[in-house]
Amino acid sequence: MYLTTPNFDSGSRYLLSQRWRAIEPEHRCLFNPRTAARVLTTGGVSAVRIVTKNIDLPEIVAKWTRRPSAGERVSTTEATAVFRAVVEDSALLRWAKVMVNGVLRLSTLGETLDVLALKR
């Protein structure tokens, strides 16, 4: 099984608190690496790999600098898509992305949990 889900212990969540985009009704449960492993084990699945990756800089900048009021929705979808295109078009920025994702894996502060698991 392969799945991705928001990482509740991400740096973005710590910075943005309730303004973090993953805190929405569509995400009924939020996991960190430890709780994801526990749920998989309880369900009879063994985690082969659980890593964190990614950080949405446009979201952090938009919500940190603007500080939207309670209930106000700020969409950074377009800004994030543009930012990703800029990164992918530059060899230097792609290298920087690899380095940042390495740090996010080691620190477990990445925004996304990337999970690979096998049925026991």
Side-chain angles (χ1 to χ4, degrees):
M1 172 175 63
Y2 172 77
L3 65 94
T4 62
T5 190
N7 176 18
F8 188 72
D9 286 349
S10 74
S12 297
R13 204 261 312 160
Y14 288 120
L15 288 171
L16 299 174
S17 187
Q18 292 296 317
R19 294 169 287 149
W20 184 45
R21 69 180 149 97
I23 298 179
E24 299 238 347
E26 70 183 39
H27 294 121
R28 295 178 183 264
C29 297
L30 292 168
F31 302 95
N32 62 30
R34 188 180 62 261
T35 58
R38 189 176 318 137
V39 167
L40 290 168
T41 301
T42 302
V45 179
S46 298
V48 174
R49 183 189 75 201
I50 299 178
V51 297
T52 69
K53 64 181 184 179
N54 302 332
I55 189 163
D56 190 345
L57 289 178
E59 179 193 26
I60 292 169
V61 169
K63 292 179 180 177
W64 187 258
T65 58
R66 190 159 162 249
R67 301 240 177 210
S69 59
E72 180 185 2
R73 295 182 60 87
V74 174
S75 176
T76 58
T77 304
E78 187 175 327
T80 297
V82 169
F83 182 72
R84 283 183 180 157
V86 168
V87 169
E88 294 305 318
D89 284 345
S90 165
L92 178 62
L93 291 177
R94 284 193 312 270
W95 177 83
K97 178 182 172 182
V98 169
M99 295 296 109
V100 168
N101 273 329
V103 170
L104 293 172
R105 279 188 190 94
L106 291 173
S107 66
T108 69
L109 291 174
E111 193 161 308
T112 304
L113 286 178
D114 194 32
V115 180
L116 180 62
L118 295 172
K119 185 177 178 181
R120 287 188 249 155

